[in-house]
Amino acid sequence: PVAVAVDAGGFARVTAAINELEKQSANVIKLHAGDALTGTLYFNRAGADGEADAALMNTVCFDAFTLGNHEFDKGDSGLKGFLDLLRKGSCKTPVLSANVQFGAGSALHPSRAPGYVSPSTVLERGGQKIGIVGLTIAQKTKASSSPDADTQFEDETMAAQREIDRLRAAGIHKIVLLSHIGYDYDRQVAARLSGVDVVVGGDSHTLLGPDALRSTGVGSPAGAYPTRTTDKDGKPVCIVQAWEYAQVVGELKVRFNAEGEVTSCTGTPHVLIGDDFSIGGKPATDAEKAALRASAAASGVLRVTAPSAAASSALQPFKDRVAVFN
């Protein structure tokens, strides 16, 4: 085998892939499982903290976003600043966490920031109501991030069950847990819950999917996409996670019966790549490029995706500021 190099990932490709997938399917829900913030110069050297992240998230227009631990890296007031930027767009993405209780002095206490963070949101697709419940990893956020001292994170399972019960009492029987607690913990929590159907997770940077991910050099998957498991009552639950750093857009197709139970779930982790292939350090010829594109398509996981023009132009002013530091 020869070494083939190609550009991969980036938020402008995420936007493009989600736009393409949205056109191909009915009843699409676009979800972000947390940790939009920190980690690169784009966060703290390209305008206000998180300004670039909010601008790019708004090019996708997510239907829900759950708070990850890194959202608290600059304290509650830093998070409020980011959520203000996110709300500036036309999307008004619901921000979720069922297990965070903002302290009395917090910039995000409901008395100061009503409606900024909710335990759940309800979406309607094809005349059906779907409840989305958010969860944030409790101990890790408290220990390794910087939430306000009196902001508390409740036990994940307890908080999730309370919110699921509330939704079910309101007649909503299709429940997605949008969780930032990690893949192994997702499986543990799902087994303790009653009434959860789908878990869209984050935090552990877990790559899920077929062996083609290994053979194409992407990485070693930790499980299937989706991972099928059961809840406390033995009902099916489908768990997914889309790896890390805007390299994968996960596509999950779920079918429900009239009782709101999952009858099938299938999915693909789309690994987003460009088509600027080089082989052994040299640019690929047209013939090699065509062969590589065919091979990528045949893999079932590599998706050649041109960056979204709208997202690229939203990114450009931030890119220019970051370039100064490189």
Side-chain angles (χ1 to χ4, degrees), residues 154-185:
E154 198 184 346
D155 174 76
E156 296 89 349
T157 308
M158 275 173 56
Q161 191 65 64
R162 181 179 62 227
E163 197 57 22
I164 290 168
D165 291 346
R166 200 183 66 74
L167 290 166
R168 287 168 96 184
I172 296 153
H173 294 285
K174 298 176 186 71
I175 308 284
V176 177
L177 195 57
L178 187 58
S179 82
H180 192 89
I181 68 173
Y183 177 63
D184 292 335
Y185 197 23

PDB file of all heavy atoms in Angstrom, residues 154-185:
ATOM      1  N   GLU A 154     -26.124  17.815  38.791  1.00  0.00           N
ATOM      2  CA  GLU A 154     -26.827  16.708  39.440  1.00  0.00           C
ATOM      3  C   GLU A 154     -26.448  15.371  38.794  1.00  0.00           C
ATOM      4  O   GLU A 154     -25.960  15.336  37.666  1.00  0.00           O
ATOM      5  CB  GLU A 154     -28.314  16.981  39.211  1.00  0.00           C
ATOM      6  CG  GLU A 154     -29.265  16.266  40.101  1.00  0.00           C
ATOM      7  CD  GLU A 154     -30.701  16.577  39.679  1.00  0.00           C
ATOM      8  OE1 GLU A 154     -30.924  17.528  38.900  1.00  0.00           O
ATOM      9  OE2 GLU A 154     -31.576  15.834  40.136  1.00  0.00           O
ATOM     10  N   ASP A 155     -26.710  14.288  39.504  1.00  0.00           N
ATOM     11  CA  ASP A 155     -26.490  12.952  38.953  1.00  0.00           C
ATOM     12  C   ASP A 155     -27.204  12.830  37.601  1.00  0.00           C
ATOM     13  O   ASP A 155     -28.392  13.152  37.478  1.00  0.00           O
ATOM     14  CB  ASP A 155     -27.033  11.898  39.922  1.00  0.00           C
ATOM     15  CG  ASP A 155     -26.964  10.507  39.326  1.00  0.00           C
ATOM     16  OD1 ASP A 155     -25.854   9.946  39.286  1.00  0.00           O
ATOM     17  OD2 ASP A 155     -28.014   9.998  38.867  1.00  0.00           O
ATOM     18  N   GLU A 156     -26.454  12.357  36.598  1.00  0.00           N
ATOM     19  CA  GLU A 156     -26.945  12.352  35.224  1.00  0.00           C
ATOM     20  C   GLU A 156     -28.202  11.492  35.056  1.00  0.00           C
ATOM     21  O   GLU A 156     -29.156  11.903  34.398  1.00  0.00           O
ATOM     22  CB  GLU A 156     -25.840  11.861  34.276  1.00  0.00           C
ATOM     23  CG  GLU A 156     -24.617  12.757  34.214  1.00  0.00           C
ATOM     24  CD  GLU A 156     -23.541  12.439  35.242  1.00  0.00           C
ATOM     25  OE1 GLU A 156     -23.800  11.648  36.179  1.00  0.00           O
ATOM     26  OE2 GLU A 156     -22.435  12.990  35.118  1.00  0.00           O
ATOM     27  N   THR A 157     -28.198  10.289  35.627  1.00  0.00           N
ATOM     28  CA  THR A 157     -29.337   9.378  35.447  1.00  0.00           C
ATOM     29  C   THR A 157     -30.607   9.938  36.089  1.00  0.00           C
ATOM     30  O   THR A 157     -31.687   9.922  35.478  1.00  0.00           O
ATOM     31  CB  THR A 157     -29.022   7.986  36.046  1.00  0.00           C
ATOM     32  OG1 THR A 157     -27.767   7.534  35.518  1.00  0.00           O
ATOM     33  CG2 THR A 157     -30.095   6.976  35.709  1.00  0.00           C
ATOM     34  N   MET A 158     -30.466  10.449  37.298  1.00  0.00           N
ATOM     35  CA  MET A 158     -31.629  11.005  38.008  1.00  0.00           C
ATOM     36  C   MET A 158     -32.261  12.155  37.235  1.00  0.00           C
ATOM     37  O   MET A 158     -33.474  12.219  37.059  1.00  0.00           O
ATOM     38  CB  MET A 158     -31.210  11.503  39.399  1.00  0.00           C
ATOM     39  CG  MET A 158     -31.199  10.426  40.468  1.00  0.00           C
ATOM     40  SD  MET A 158     -30.490  11.066  42.021  1.00  0.00           S
ATOM     41  CE  MET A 158     -31.558  12.481  42.321  1.00  0.00           C
ATOM     42  N   ALA A 159     -31.401  13.069  36.795  1.00  0.00           N
ATOM     43  CA  ALA A 159     -31.896  14.258  36.087  1.00  0.00           C
ATOM     44  C   ALA A 159     -32.551  13.862  34.758  1.00  0.00           C
ATOM     45  O   ALA A 159     -33.609  14.380  34.396  1.00  0.00           O
ATOM     46  CB  ALA A 159     -30.754  15.236  35.845  1.00  0.00           C
ATOM     47  N   ALA A 160     -31.925  12.930  34.053  1.00  0.00           N
ATOM     48  CA  ALA A 160     -32.468  12.505  32.757  1.00  0.00           C
ATOM     49  C   ALA A 160     -33.830  11.829  32.944  1.00  0.00           C
ATOM     50  O   ALA A 160     -34.776  12.120  32.208  1.00  0.00           O
ATOM     51  CB  ALA A 160     -31.498  11.552  32.064  1.00  0.00           C
ATOM     52  N   GLN A 161     -33.930  10.947  33.952  1.00  0.00           N
ATOM     53  CA  GLN A 161     -35.195  10.239  34.155  1.00  0.00           C
ATOM     54  C   GLN A 161     -36.321  11.194  34.526  1.00  0.00           C
ATOM     55  O   GLN A 161     -37.448  11.060  34.042  1.00  0.00           O
ATOM     56  CB  GLN A 161     -35.052   9.150  35.237  1.00  0.00           C
ATOM     57  CG  GLN A 161     -36.260   8.212  35.297  1.00  0.00           C
ATOM     58  CD  GLN A 161     -36.414   7.390  34.021  1.00  0.00           C
ATOM     59  OE1 GLN A 161     -35.562   6.570  33.679  1.00  0.00           O
ATOM     60  NE2 GLN A 161     -37.506   7.603  33.284  1.00  0.00           N
ATOM     61  N   ARG A 162     -36.001  12.163  35.369  1.00  0.00           N
ATOM     62  CA  ARG A 162     -37.019  13.149  35.758  1.00  0.00           C
ATOM     63  C   ARG A 162     -37.573  13.878  34.534  1.00  0.00           C
ATOM     64  O   ARG A 162     -38.781  14.059  34.383  1.00  0.00           O
ATOM     65  CB  ARG A 162     -36.413  14.158  36.745  1.00  0.00           C
ATOM     66  CG  ARG A 162     -37.400  15.211  37.240  1.00  0.00           C
ATOM     67  CD  ARG A 162     -36.744  16.155  38.220  1.00  0.00           C
ATOM     68  NE  ARG A 162     -35.664  16.888  37.591  1.00  0.00           N
ATOM     69  CZ  ARG A 162     -34.448  17.029  38.136  1.00  0.00           C
ATOM     70  NH1 ARG A 162     -34.149  16.490  39.305  1.00  0.00           N
ATOM     71  NH2 ARG A 162     -33.524  17.730  37.503  1.00  0.00           N
ATOM     72  N   GLU A 163     -36.671  14.275  33.634  1.00  0.00           N
ATOM     73  CA  GLU A 163     -37.099  15.021  32.447  1.00  0.00           C
ATOM     74  C   GLU A 163     -37.841  14.120  31.455  1.00  0.00           C
ATOM     75  O   GLU A 163     -38.824  14.531  30.851  1.00  0.00           O
ATOM     76  CB  GLU A 163     -35.888  15.702  31.794  1.00  0.00           C
ATOM     77  CG  GLU A 163     -36.223  16.801  30.824  1.00  0.00           C
ATOM     78  CD  GLU A 163     -37.075  17.932  31.401  1.00  0.00           C
ATOM     79  OE1 GLU A 163     -37.113  18.138  32.637  1.00  0.00           O
ATOM     80  OE2 GLU A 163     -37.719  18.618  30.585  1.00  0.00           O
ATOM     81  N   ILE A 164     -37.373  12.882  31.318  1.00  0.00           N
ATOM     82  CA  ILE A 164     -38.070  11.918  30.442  1.00  0.00           C
ATOM     83  C   ILE A 164     -39.490  11.691  30.968  1.00  0.00           C
ATOM     84  O   ILE A 164     -40.457  11.690  30.200  1.00  0.00           O
ATOM     85  CB  ILE A 164     -37.293  10.578  30.361  1.00  0.00           C
ATOM     86  CG1 ILE A 164     -35.984  10.766  29.571  1.00  0.00           C
ATOM     87  CG2 ILE A 164     -38.149   9.492  29.704  1.00  0.00           C
ATOM     88  CD1 ILE A 164     -35.010   9.599  29.679  1.00  0.00           C
ATOM     89  N   ASP A 165     -39.615  11.524  32.284  1.00  0.00           N
ATOM     90  CA  ASP A 165     -40.937  11.293  32.892  1.00  0.00           C
ATOM     91  C   ASP A 165     -41.864  12.484  32.640  1.00  0.00           C
ATOM     92  O   ASP A 165     -43.057  12.319  32.373  1.00  0.00           O
ATOM     93  CB  ASP A 165     -40.814  11.035  34.399  1.00  0.00           C
ATOM     94  CG  ASP A 165     -40.135   9.699  34.702  1.00  0.00           C
ATOM     95  OD1 ASP A 165     -40.012   8.867  33.772  1.00  0.00           O
ATOM     96  OD2 ASP A 165     -39.719   9.492  35.861  1.00  0.00           O
ATOM     97  N   ARG A 166     -41.301  13.682  32.736  1.00  0.00           N
ATOM     98  CA  ARG A 166     -42.088  14.897  32.515  1.00  0.00           C
ATOM     99  C   ARG A 166     -42.599  14.947  31.064  1.00  0.00           C
ATOM    100  O   ARG A 166     -43.762  15.260  30.806  1.00  0.00           O
ATOM    101  CB  ARG A 166     -41.226  16.119  32.837  1.00  0.00           C
ATOM    102  CG  ARG A 166     -42.001  17.398  33.122  1.00  0.00           C
ATOM    103  CD  ARG A 166     -41.070  18.576  33.365  1.00  0.00           C
ATOM    104  NE  ARG A 166     -40.318  18.937  32.175  1.00  0.00           N
ATOM    105  CZ  ARG A 166     -40.821  19.573  31.116  1.00  0.00           C
ATOM    106  NH1 ARG A 166     -42.104  19.901  31.088  1.00  0.00           N
ATOM    107  NH2 ARG A 166     -40.068  19.867  30.085  1.00  0.00           N
ATOM    108  N   LEU A 167     -41.724  14.608  30.128  1.00  0.00           N
ATOM    109  CA  LEU A 167     -42.106  14.601  28.712  1.00  0.00           C
ATOM    110  C   LEU A 167     -43.149  13.518  28.427  1.00  0.00           C
ATOM    111  O   LEU A 167     -44.128  13.756  27.715  1.00  0.00           O
ATOM    112  CB  LEU A 167     -40.870  14.387  27.828  1.00  0.00           C
ATOM    113  CG  LEU A 167     -39.878  15.556  27.776  1.00  0.00           C
ATOM    114  CD1 LEU A 167     -38.553  15.112  27.178  1.00  0.00           C
ATOM    115  CD2 LEU A 167     -40.440  16.739  26.995  1.00  0.00           C
ATOM    116  N   ARG A 168     -42.947  12.349  29.007  1.00  0.00           N
ATOM    117  CA  ARG A 168     -43.896  11.255  28.785  1.00  0.00           C
ATOM    118  C   ARG A 168     -45.276  11.598  29.361  1.00  0.00           C
ATOM    119  O   ARG A 168     -46.299  11.266  28.761  1.00  0.00           O
ATOM    120  CB  ARG A 168     -43.368   9.961  29.408  1.00  0.00           C
ATOM    121  CG  ARG A 168     -42.217   9.366  28.607  1.00  0.00           C
ATOM    122  CD  ARG A 168     -41.523   8.280  29.366  1.00  0.00           C
ATOM    123  NE  ARG A 168     -42.030   6.955  29.001  1.00  0.00           N
ATOM    124  CZ  ARG A 168     -41.630   5.832  29.599  1.00  0.00           C
ATOM    125  NH1 ARG A 168     -40.746   5.860  30.570  1.00  0.00           N
ATOM    126  NH2 ARG A 168     -42.119   4.676  29.214  1.00  0.00           N
ATOM    127  N   ALA A 169     -45.265  12.285  30.497  1.00  0.00           N
ATOM    128  CA  ALA A 169     -46.538  12.709  31.092  1.00  0.00           C
ATOM    129  C   ALA A 169     -47.271  13.689  30.173  1.00  0.00           C
ATOM    130  O   ALA A 169     -48.493  13.785  30.198  1.00  0.00           O
ATOM    131  CB  ALA A 169     -46.289  13.338  32.462  1.00  0.00           C
ATOM    132  N   ALA A 170     -46.492  14.394  29.349  1.00  0.00           N
ATOM    133  CA  ALA A 170     -47.088  15.343  28.396  1.00  0.00           C
ATOM    134  C   ALA A 170     -47.415  14.656  27.064  1.00  0.00           C
ATOM    135  O   ALA A 170     -47.738  15.314  26.072  1.00  0.00           O
ATOM    136  CB  ALA A 170     -46.127  16.507  28.167  1.00  0.00           C
ATOM    137  N   GLY A 171     -47.299  13.320  27.034  1.00  0.00           N
ATOM    138  CA  GLY A 171     -47.668  12.571  25.837  1.00  0.00           C
ATOM    139  C   GLY A 171     -46.582  12.470  24.781  1.00  0.00           C
ATOM    140  O   GLY A 171     -46.856  12.141  23.629  1.00  0.00           O
ATOM    141  N   ILE A 172     -45.337  12.743  25.179  1.00  0.00           N
ATOM    142  CA  ILE A 172     -44.222  12.661  24.212  1.00  0.00           C
ATOM    143  C   ILE A 172     -43.461  11.359  24.465  1.00  0.00           C
ATOM    144  O   ILE A 172     -42.883  11.172  25.539  1.00  0.00           O
ATOM    145  CB  ILE A 172     -43.305  13.902  24.339  1.00  0.00           C
ATOM    146  CG1 ILE A 172     -44.117  15.142  23.941  1.00  0.00           C
ATOM    147  CG2 ILE A 172     -42.068  13.775  23.454  1.00  0.00           C
ATOM    148  CD1 ILE A 172     -43.648  16.402  24.565  1.00  0.00           C
ATOM    149  N   HIS A 173     -43.496  10.453  23.485  1.00  0.00           N
ATOM    150  CA  HIS A 173     -42.948   9.110  23.693  1.00  0.00           C
ATOM    151  C   HIS A 173     -41.756   8.781  22.812  1.00  0.00           C
ATOM    152  O   HIS A 173     -41.313   7.634  22.797  1.00  0.00           O
ATOM    153  CB  HIS A 173     -44.059   8.068  23.516  1.00  0.00           C
ATOM    154  CG  HIS A 173     -45.104   8.180  24.578  1.00  0.00           C
ATOM    155  ND1 HIS A 173     -44.903   7.752  25.873  1.00  0.00           N
ATOM    156  CD2 HIS A 173     -46.338   8.727  24.563  1.00  0.00           C
ATOM    157  CE1 HIS A 173     -45.981   8.001  26.600  1.00  0.00           C
ATOM    158  NE2 HIS A 173     -46.866   8.606  25.823  1.00  0.00           N
ATOM    159  N   LYS A 174     -41.263   9.756  22.084  1.00  0.00           N
ATOM    160  CA  LYS A 174     -40.019   9.550  21.321  1.00  0.00           C
ATOM    161  C   LYS A 174     -38.981  10.453  21.959  1.00  0.00           C
ATOM    162  O   LYS A 174     -39.102  11.675  21.901  1.00  0.00           O
ATOM    163  CB  LYS A 174     -40.225   9.901  19.848  1.00  0.00           C
ATOM    164  CG  LYS A 174     -41.256   9.021  19.162  1.00  0.00           C
ATOM    165  CD  LYS A 174     -41.502   9.476  17.730  1.00  0.00           C
ATOM    166  CE  LYS A 174     -42.630   8.681  17.100  1.00  0.00           C
ATOM    167  NZ  LYS A 174     -43.941   9.046  17.688  1.00  0.00           N
ATOM    168  N   ILE A 175     -37.988   9.830  22.590  1.00  0.00           N
ATOM    169  CA  ILE A 175     -37.036  10.606  23.416  1.00  0.00           C
ATOM    170  C   ILE A 175     -35.596  10.398  22.956  1.00  0.00           C
ATOM    171  O   ILE A 175     -35.106   9.267  22.870  1.00  0.00           O
ATOM    172  CB  ILE A 175     -37.133  10.200  24.910  1.00  0.00           C
ATOM    173  CG1 ILE A 175     -38.584  10.268  25.428  1.00  0.00           C
ATOM    174  CG2 ILE A 175     -36.174  11.050  25.753  1.00  0.00           C
ATOM    175  CD1 ILE A 175     -39.137  11.629  25.710  1.00  0.00           C
ATOM    176  N   VAL A 176     -34.931  11.514  22.678  1.00  0.00           N
ATOM    177  CA  VAL A 176     -33.502  11.502  22.345  1.00  0.00           C
ATOM    178  C   VAL A 176     -32.746  12.144  23.505  1.00  0.00           C
ATOM    179  O   VAL A 176     -33.073  13.252  23.931  1.00  0.00           O
ATOM    180  CB  VAL A 176     -33.220  12.306  21.057  1.00  0.00           C
ATOM    181  CG1 VAL A 176     -31.720  12.350  20.767  1.00  0.00           C
ATOM    182  CG2 VAL A 176     -33.985  11.719  19.868  1.00  0.00           C
ATOM    183  N   LEU A 177     -31.748  11.433  23.998  1.00  0.00           N
ATOM    184  CA  LEU A 177     -30.867  11.988  25.021  1.00  0.00           C
ATOM    185  C   LEU A 177     -29.660  12.582  24.300  1.00  0.00           C
ATOM    186  O   LEU A 177     -28.937  11.861  23.608  1.00  0.00           O
ATOM    187  CB  LEU A 177     -30.441  10.861  25.968  1.00  0.00           C
ATOM    188  CG  LEU A 177     -29.806  11.228  27.299  1.00  0.00           C
ATOM    189  CD1 LEU A 177     -30.713  12.134  28.110  1.00  0.00           C
ATOM    190  CD2 LEU A 177     -29.495   9.956  28.092  1.00  0.00           C
ATOM    191  N   LEU A 178     -29.491  13.884  24.402  1.00  0.00           N
ATOM    192  CA  LEU A 178     -28.354  14.577  23.776  1.00  0.00           C
ATOM    193  C   LEU A 178     -27.344  14.786  24.895  1.00  0.00           C
ATOM    194  O   LEU A 178     -27.466  15.696  25.702  1.00  0.00           O
ATOM    195  CB  LEU A 178     -28.832  15.913  23.184  1.00  0.00           C
ATOM    196  CG  LEU A 178     -27.832  16.696  22.340  1.00  0.00           C
ATOM    197  CD1 LEU A 178     -27.310  15.891  21.162  1.00  0.00           C
ATOM    198  CD2 LEU A 178     -28.450  17.998  21.853  1.00  0.00           C
ATOM    199  N   SER A 179     -26.373  13.854  24.953  1.00  0.00           N
ATOM    200  CA  SER A 179     -25.587  13.775  26.179  1.00  0.00           C
ATOM    201  C   SER A 179     -24.122  14.062  25.944  1.00  0.00           C
ATOM    202  O   SER A 179     -23.534  13.606  24.963  1.00  0.00           O
ATOM    203  CB  SER A 179     -25.722  12.374  26.775  1.00  0.00           C
ATOM    204  OG  SER A 179     -24.839  11.500  26.124  1.00  0.00           O
ATOM    205  N   HIS A 180     -23.539  14.793  26.883  1.00  0.00           N
ATOM    206  CA  HIS A 180     -22.098  15.008  26.846  1.00  0.00           C
ATOM    207  C   HIS A 180     -21.499  14.326  28.079  1.00  0.00           C
ATOM    208  O   HIS A 180     -21.077  14.975  29.029  1.00  0.00           O
ATOM    209  CB  HIS A 180     -21.773  16.512  26.837  1.00  0.00           C
ATOM    210  CG  HIS A 180     -20.335  16.778  26.505  1.00  0.00           C
ATOM    211  ND1 HIS A 180     -19.902  16.933  25.207  1.00  0.00           N
ATOM    212  CD2 HIS A 180     -19.231  16.857  27.281  1.00  0.00           C
ATOM    213  CE1 HIS A 180     -18.588  17.125  25.209  1.00  0.00           C
ATOM    214  NE2 HIS A 180     -18.158  17.073  26.461  1.00  0.00           N
ATOM    215  N   ILE A 181     -21.548  12.976  28.054  1.00  0.00           N
ATOM    216  CA  ILE A 181     -21.074  12.234  29.238  1.00  0.00           C
ATOM    217  C   ILE A 181     -20.120  11.094  28.879  1.00  0.00           C
ATOM    218  O   ILE A 181     -19.584  10.439  29.771  1.00  0.00           O
ATOM    219  CB  ILE A 181     -22.259  11.685  30.085  1.00  0.00           C
ATOM    220  CG1 ILE A 181     -23.026  10.595  29.356  1.00  0.00           C
ATOM    221  CG2 ILE A 181     -23.198  12.830  30.510  1.00  0.00           C
ATOM    222  CD1 ILE A 181     -24.100   9.897  30.197  1.00  0.00           C
ATOM    223  N   GLY A 182     -19.922  10.825  27.577  1.00  0.00           N
ATOM    224  CA  GLY A 182     -18.991   9.780  27.156  1.00  0.00           C
ATOM    225  C   GLY A 182     -19.678   8.473  26.788  1.00  0.00           C
ATOM    226  O   GLY A 182     -20.716   8.117  27.332  1.00  0.00           O
ATOM    227  N   TYR A 183     -19.072   7.746  25.871  1.00  0.00           N
ATOM    228  CA  TYR A 183     -19.670   6.538  25.274  1.00  0.00           C
ATOM    229  C   TYR A 183     -19.935   5.426  26.294  1.00  0.00           C
ATOM    230  O   TYR A 183     -21.025   4.851  26.341  1.00  0.00           O
ATOM    231  CB  TYR A 183     -18.745   6.049  24.157  1.00  0.00           C
ATOM    232  CG  TYR A 183     -19.157   4.771  23.464  1.00  0.00           C
ATOM    233  CD1 TYR A 183     -20.343   4.694  22.739  1.00  0.00           C
ATOM    234  CD2 TYR A 183     -18.334   3.642  23.505  1.00  0.00           C
ATOM    235  CE1 TYR A 183     -20.706   3.524  22.069  1.00  0.00           C
ATOM    236  CE2 TYR A 183     -18.684   2.477  22.837  1.00  0.00           C
ATOM    237  CZ  TYR A 183     -19.875   2.415  22.135  1.00  0.00           C
ATOM    238  OH  TYR A 183     -20.225   1.265  21.478  1.00  0.00           O
ATOM    239  N   ASP A 184     -18.936   5.107  27.120  1.00  0.00           N
ATOM    240  CA  ASP A 184     -19.143   4.028  28.098  1.00  0.00           C
ATOM    241  C   ASP A 184     -20.232   4.398  29.098  1.00  0.00           C
ATOM    242  O   ASP A 184     -21.078   3.570  29.450  1.00  0.00           O
ATOM    243  CB  ASP A 184     -17.838   3.713  28.840  1.00  0.00           C
ATOM    244  CG  ASP A 184     -16.802   3.083  27.920  1.00  0.00           C
ATOM    245  OD1 ASP A 184     -17.218   2.461  26.905  1.00  0.00           O
ATOM    246  OD2 ASP A 184     -15.591   3.216  28.186  1.00  0.00           O
ATOM    247  N   TYR A 185     -20.199   5.647  29.538  1.00  0.00           N
ATOM    248  CA  TYR A 185     -21.188   6.117  30.515  1.00  0.00           C
ATOM    249  C   TYR A 185     -22.583   6.206  29.872  1.00  0.00           C
ATOM    250  O   TYR A 185     -23.585   5.902  30.513  1.00  0.00           O
ATOM    251  CB  TYR A 185     -20.739   7.454  31.100  1.00  0.00           C
ATOM    252  CG  TYR A 185     -21.433   7.861  32.381  1.00  0.00           C
ATOM    253  CD1 TYR A 185     -22.034   6.933  33.219  1.00  0.00           C
ATOM    254  CD2 TYR A 185     -21.468   9.206  32.758  1.00  0.00           C
ATOM    255  CE1 TYR A 185     -22.662   7.321  34.395  1.00  0.00           C
ATOM    256  CE2 TYR A 185     -22.089   9.606  33.937  1.00  0.00           C
ATOM    257  CZ  TYR A 185     -22.686   8.657  34.753  1.00  0.00           C
ATOM    258  OH  TYR A 185     -23.307   9.045  35.909  1.00  0.00           O
TER     259      TYR A 185
END
